[in-house]
């Protein structure tokens, strides 16, 4: 099978074969980051715009490095310094940027569906770098890449995704990707943070973290979005940490080869203790390293696709 997609909007749209093409392409690119001269000429002459309308540390840095390692020209864009603050619409802003001759727009936006809107209205390739609570496809891909790299398979793995499932784009992209590749996915968290009918996506639901830990090959801990506490979705931070926080005591019943992941940014001492975040099961920084190779693969594939 050949890659034909001009955009990467989400993992819901991708087939298992397409996900594997991204993972295999990322595998071939990861070596570039270990070279003294960390660059290949693959995207020479292409222009990639980082359109981040929401804050980011990891994704923005990772996409920028990925594009530079492929020799693309990279243009930065942030909401604060742009005419979006003067009321310009997203489509008008993007069309103006496109008129300067760009090939790929990497978009992070608080509105679910914003990348899809640009994909319908522009000629450039659009890559979703996180759209509201909807999807964060490259985070899902780099999480799956890290699991495959460490455990040598995805099919048959038991993966628990723990925390704020309801508002997490990372959870949604992981669920779509993992289910397509044959993993068993269990979502764990307070009932108020688990969407009704989530089972329709093929996942199991559990409200007791201690019950699932011994079965897991991977535990992906989500950031608890502290701003949600005001909305009464969980009683207190201390209560959340007590019931759903991953700590050393809980891990005493885990498999020896368990992987612990977190997309970042971490709330140390809330969803994960510092000992676990920095402990022997943690692959949090591997995820970040692998993210560059995965994003190189995505930029290479969409920039080369005819659509
Ligand atoms: N994982 C992630 O999306 O992190 P940033 O918000 O820092 O990009």
């Amino acid at each position: 099978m050949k890659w034909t997609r001009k955009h990467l909007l989400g993992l819901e749209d991708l087939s298992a074969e397409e996900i594997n093409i991204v993972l295999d392409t990322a595998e071939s690119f990861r070596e570039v980051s270990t070279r003294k001269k960390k660059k290949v000429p693959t995207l020479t002459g292409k222009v990639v715009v980082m359109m981040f309308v929401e804050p980011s540390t990891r994704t923005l840095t990772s996409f920028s490095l990925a594009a530079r390692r492929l020799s693309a020209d990279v243009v930065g864009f942030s909401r604060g310094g742009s005419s979006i603050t003067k009321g310009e619409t997203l489509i008008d802003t993007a069309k103006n940027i496109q008129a300067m001759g760009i090939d790929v727009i990497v978009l992070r936006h608080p509105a679910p569906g914003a990348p899809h809107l640009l994909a319908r209205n522009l000629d450039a390739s659009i890559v979703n770098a996180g759209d509201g609570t909807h999807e964060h496809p490259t985070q899902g891909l780099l999480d799956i890449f890290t699991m495959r790299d460490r455990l040598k398979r995805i099919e048959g793995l038991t993966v628990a995704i723990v925390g704020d499932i309801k508002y997490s784009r990372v959870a949604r992209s992981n669920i779509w990707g993992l289910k397509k590749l044959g993993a068993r996915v269990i979502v764990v968290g307070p009932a108020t943070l688990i969407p009704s009918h989530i089972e329709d996506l093929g996942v199991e639901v559990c409200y007791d973290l201690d019950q699932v830990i011994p079965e897991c090959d991977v535990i992906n801990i989500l950031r608890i979005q502290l701003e949600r506490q005001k909305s009464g979705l969980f009683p207190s931070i201390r209560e959340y940490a007590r019931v759903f926080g991953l700590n050393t005591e809980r891990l005493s019943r885990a498999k020896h080869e368990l992987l612990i992941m977190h997309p970042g940014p971490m709330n140390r001492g809330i969803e994960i203790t510092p000992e676990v975040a920095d402990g022997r099961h943690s692959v949090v920084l591997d995820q970040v390293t692998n993210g560059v190779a995965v994003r190189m693969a995505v930029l290479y594939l969409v920039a080369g696709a005819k659509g």
Side-chain angles (χ1 to χ4, degrees), residues 6-9 94 98 103-107 114-120 122-128 302:
K6 188 174 154 189
H7 312 291
L8 178 71
L9 303 178
Q98 179 175 267
D103 301 286
V104 182
I105 295 179
V106 179
L107 178 70
H116 304 68
L117 184 70
L118 291 195
R120 283 196 297 274
L122 272 76
D123 296 325
S125 291
I126 308 297
V127 176
N128 182 359
V302 299

Side-chain angles (χ1 to χ4, degrees), residues 52 54-62 108 129-130 136 138-139 142-143 169-170 223 262-265 287-288 295:
F52 277 64
E54 232 190 20
S56 167
T57 298
R58 280 146 288 266
T59 313
L60 175 57
T61 312
S62 183
R108 170 167 288 191
H136 192 348
T138 55
Q139 181 70 45
L142 73 89
D143 289 348
R169 55 194 176 204
V170 175
R223 178 175 82 90
H262 193 303
Q287 290 171 263
V288 178
R295 289 172 176 128

